[in-house]
Amino acid sequence: MLSGMPIIDVRKLHKRYGDKVAVNDVSFTVERGEIFGILGPNGAGKTTTVECIEGLRRPDGGEVTVLGLDPLRDTLELRKRLGVQLQESELPERIKVGEALELYASFYTDPSDPDELLDLLGLTDKRGTAYKKLSGGQKQRLSIALSLIGNPEVAVLDELTTGLDPQARREVWSLIESIRDRGVTILLVTHFMEEAERLCDRLALIDQGEVVAVDTPAGLVEGVDDEQRIRFRPSEPVADHVFTELPEVRAVERQGTRIVVTGTGNVLYAVASVLARKQIIAKELRVDQASLDDAFVALTGRKLD
């Protein structure tokens, strides 16, 4: 594979089921070493897109390459280099964690060390535990381990944390970051805004089968609204002009004893500096700014959920 070539290259991907268009001219690239997210509501075409990337579905149009390989023509070669965690997967209830890893390891010529994966994913003490006795979070950890057992260069993780409680979700996020640190390029499919903002270097927003934007999470937000709103209650009275004279400030509003300063750029530092010079304490300080959810609404006209 040529250096500088995208790890995943999707061009004008099209897939329909009968009269329904599931994916309509979707295009994006994934670079080596990044966590690239596909973010969108349920039914947006995310899973169909990744199934075409994995070689599990045949596109009706467009081109897909992964590691320079065609997922349909080069299926056997790609399976040696691509790890996949499906949106829904089950194992036999009685199979033990260690047995599942050893079974999957036997499918590859150069697998990862099962013991190292168990340690990485915090499952060492569950080696002898039957699959049916694992918690939801432990099953997801095992699913990740199985997607990595082949020592893949790329891992596709589809709706990895759906159904997990907030604590288990954050633990899985930390694991994903550690996997990327091992040199694995990750394609992450999600409908959780917080997950996308926390993990992804870049995102493709998909809605109704189409890509509406591709950028970093910060870039998507900045493209919608770069304003920040600083809310606080000053420890002593302060005139509006103290803030309106700052070049970063656009507006000042009073809400009872609270002040709301709206601005752009490094407005928080500017406001904090002027308050410090006047020895005024900003009590109950809160900073509001546009979110990825706001960006999705602005780009699609509706909320993600």
Side-chain angles (χ1 to χ4, degrees):
M1 186 175 64
L2 297 175
S3 61
M5 183 177 183
I7 293 295
I8 300 174
D9 192 355
V10 180
R11 300 184 185 182
K12 296 187 176 298
L13 181 66
H14 189 89
K15 180 66 181 177
R16 67 186 303 138
Y17 303 105
D19 295 332
K20 178 177 174 55
V21 177
V23 177
N24 186 24
D25 288 343
V26 163
S27 298
F28 60 84
T29 60
V30 179
E31 304 302 325
R32 182 178 296 277
E34 73 176 339
I35 299 178
F36 186 93
I38 298 180
L39 176 68
N42 292 329
K46 305 187 303 297
T47 294
T48 296
T49 297
V50 296
E51 286 178 344
C52 291
I53 291 171
E54 296 158 353
L56 299 178
R57 291 195 185 276
R58 182 179 295 275
D60 295 320
E63 298 179 3
V64 177
T65 59
V66 183
L67 296 163
L69 303 171
D70 182 306
L72 294 174
R73 187 183 63 242
D74 307 312
T75 304
L76 293 179
E77 175 62 24
L78 183 58
R79 284 178 180 171
K80 299 175 185 177
R81 304 169 67 184
L82 178 69
V84 175
Q85 180 267 332
L86 299 175
Q87 184 174 0
E88 295 183 10
S89 58
E90 289 291 331
L91 291 171
E93 288 188 347
R94 295 183 181 180
I95 193 169
K96 296 177 181 178
V97 170
E99 292 173 341
L101 277 170
E102 290 166 7
L103 173 64
Y104 276 58
S106 70
F107 301 155
Y108 300 93
T109 56
D110 183 27
S112 298
D113 185 336
D115 290 332
E116 287 186 5
L117 284 179
L118 287 173
D119 183 58
L120 172 68
L121 295 165
L123 290 172
T124 299
D125 62 344
K126 299 296 180 182
R127 169 183 278 280
T129 302
Y131 180 76
K132 67 177 180 180
K133 294 185 177 180
L134 299 177
S135 68
Q138 290 164 350
K139 287 180 178 179
Q140 290 294 62
R141 287 168 179 261
L142 178 57
S143 182
I144 297 172
L146 295 176
S147 73
L148 298 176
I149 194 65
N151 235 347
E153 297 171 53
V154 183
V156 180
L157 308 177
D158 191 355
E159 298 288 5
L160 185 64
T161 60
T162 297
L164 300 186
D165 62 64
Q167 178 61 33
R169 183 172 294 138
R170 282 168 174 77
E171 290 175 356
V172 171
W173 291 350
S174 295
L175 292 173
I176 293 172
E177 290 170 329
S178 68
I179 292 165
R180 192 263 298 277
D181 292 341
R182 288 162 57 100
V184 180
T185 301
I186 296 173
L187 179 60
L188 178 70
V189 181
T190 183
H191 66 271
F192 290 120
M193 290 290 186
E194 186 182 0
E195 183 165 282
E197 288 185 295
R198 158 77 183 266
L199 294 176
C200 297
D201 299 300
R202 291 189 303 130
L203 285 168
L205 296 187
I206 293 185
D207 186 44
Q208 297 179 347
E210 298 183 352
V211 172
V212 295
V214 178
D215 204 340
T216 64
L220 290 168
V221 172
E222 290 172 4
V224 173
D225 184 3
D226 62 351
E227 282 192 343
Q228 298 179 56
R229 286 161 291 282
I230 304 166
R231 307 171 190 271
F232 63 94
R233 185 164 54 84
S235 59
E236 59 183 77
V238 56
D240 287 1
H241 72 81
V242 170
F243 307 110
T244 55
E245 290 172 355
L246 298 172
E248 297 88 351
V249 172
R250 290 182 177 176
V252 177
E253 179 186 353
R254 300 278 176 167
Q255 295 179 348
T257 60
R258 294 177 182 274
I259 296 176
V260 181
V261 179
T262 302
T264 58
N266 207 357
V267 64
L268 178 59
Y269 176 79
V271 170
S273 295
V274 75
L275 290 174
R277 287 197 299 270
K278 293 182 175 297
Q279 297 184 326
I280 296 174
I281 299 172
K283 298 180 179 180
E284 301 171 16
L285 177 68
R286 192 178 80 186
V287 180
D288 297 326
Q289 54 189 356
S291 67
L292 196 54
D293 191 50
D294 295 323
F296 190 87
V297 171
L299 290 164
T300 67
R302 62 195 184 95
K303 283 188 170 291
L304 181 63
D305 55 3

